[in-house]
Amino acid sequence: MQSVGDYLGQALKQLRSERGWSLDRAAQACGVSKAMLGQIERAESSPTLATLWKIAGGFKVPLSAFIAAPPNELEVRQAEQLRQRPTSDAMLVAPLFPFDPRYGFELLELTLPAGYERLSEPHDTGVTEHVTVIRGAMALLVNGHWQALEQGAAVRFAADAAHGYRNPGSEPAVIHNLICYPAAQSR
């Protein structure tokens, strides 16, 4: 099985190649240094989640494009087997359904460790997130306010504004995050 770092590096290199971008051009588009992009491509460095989001935004692709390939039809996926730490961030990610342009969304299982907090910069215009708390409890930052969410709670919000995730508890919180991309951005 291919390591997360190797997959991420190959995906980044392939996207650059498909677009005919140099490392300089990619760095300009992503707001990430040329040196860092080169290290990621060579699997010499694991980016933070914030850096990976910047790269995805610069290439106008969903985050899961760097984590896993879309599954085959009728492929049964087990979160336990998919759970990984794709960045240097403490959050675990299981790409249940990586982005597929036919559908325009990605479905991720996120495990937020106890005491974890992640502030996210705005995604592209029109991106929406649908968060469902599967286990534990969390707080979601939307419109400048933290909203407590208990197990079983579900909420949809415009992710094209700053938002955040927090686990104030002493046990990990597990959520499903369905991220929908407008048709123009889901290429």
Side-chain angles (χ1 to χ4, degrees), residues 26-166:
Q28 290 173 348
C30 301
V32 175
S33 75
K34 174 182 170 180
M36 174 58 81
L37 292 174
Q39 290 171 356
I40 293 169
E41 281 190 6
R42 295 186 302 274
E44 296 173 355
S45 180
S46 178
T48 64
L49 192 57
T51 298
L52 190 54
W53 269 113
K54 282 183 176 183
I55 295 169
F59 279 93
K60 303 281 190 228
V61 298
L63 180 73
S64 64
F66 295 107
I67 299 173
N72 297 320
E73 293 298 318
L74 299 178
E75 178 182 333
V76 176
R77 307 197 29 102
Q78 296 289 334
E80 187 173 308
Q81 296 168 350
L82 299 168
R83 213 169 281 127
Q84 56 187 295
R85 183 170 284 124
T87 66
S88 60
D89 193 88
M91 181 174 59
L92 297 175
V93 179
L96 298 175
F97 291 101
F99 181 78
D100 185 321
R102 294 176 295 170
Y103 305 113
F105 72 86
E106 60 190 346
L107 176 60
L108 308 172
E109 178 205 75
L110 307 177
T111 302
L112 313 178
Y116 177 84
E117 183 174 302
R118 162 103 174 91
L119 300 177
S120 180
E121 293 183 22
H123 301 308
D124 287 339
T125 301
V127 174
T128 58
E129 292 191 27
H130 307 73
V131 172
T132 304
V133 181
I134 304 302
R135 187 172 64 241
M138 67 166 295
L140 182 67
L141 177 65
V142 178
N143 298 326
H145 300 284
W146 287 99
Q147 172 71 41
L149 300 173
E150 299 296 323
Q151 185 169 315
V155 64
R156 175 178 48 212
F157 62 95
D160 54 7
H163 53 285
Y165 313 88
R166 177 190 291 161

